[in-house]
Amino acid sequence: MAHRSVPCPATAMAVPLAGIFTGLAAGAVNAHMAGLAAVDARREERASQVLFHQLQDAISAAHDWADYAKKLIAENERLKAENGRLKEVAAQRRGVIERMRQVAA
């Protein structure tokens, strides 16, 4: 093989091109990783929003059930008072009936 007096142009360009392609590849990898990180961040943000709305719905439902329970408690107390009143009326009527039986006998 004969020695060349002029260096090979392909060899002269190989090192700078390798550096350029290495830089481009590193940039592409960094951009891809940044894109994946952005997708993950967006997914976490969406999941956080969904959980926030679910929590708000649960809180609202809990308040509704608490209001309903308070109404039921008030109604129960009213019915207990009515039941007590009716027991007193029934006892009075039984007393009247017993007195009428004793008079009739």
Side-chain angles (χ1 to χ4, degrees):
M1 180 174 215
H3 176 70
R4 294 180 65 168
S5 60
V6 178
C8 177
T11 304
M13 292 306 296
V15 173
L17 284 175
I20 291 171
F21 282 121
T22 301
L24 289 174
V29 168
N30 286 339
H32 179 69
M33 296 306 288
L36 290 178
V39 167
D40 287 342
R42 180 84 171 141
R43 186 177 296 130
E44 287 179 15
E45 177 65 27
R46 172 77 177 134
S48 176
Q49 289 176 355
V50 167
L51 288 175
F52 175 77
H53 288 296
Q54 288 175 341
L55 177 62
Q56 293 302 317
D57 290 344
I59 290 171
S60 177
H63 285 295
D64 291 345
W65 280 107
D67 292 341
Y68 182 65
K70 288 175 187 175
K71 288 178 185 175
L72 289 178
I73 289 169
E75 178 70 10
N76 189 38
E77 293 301 318
R78 187 188 67 73
L79 291 173
K80 283 180 180 179
E82 176 71 10
N83 190 30
R85 188 186 69 75
L86 291 173
K87 282 181 180 179
E88 288 177 12
V89 168
Q92 288 174 353
R93 288 186 181 171
R94 270 194 303 272
V96 169
I97 291 170
E98 290 299 320
R99 284 191 296 272
M100 290 173 71
R101 281 186 185 163
Q102 288 173 359
V103 170

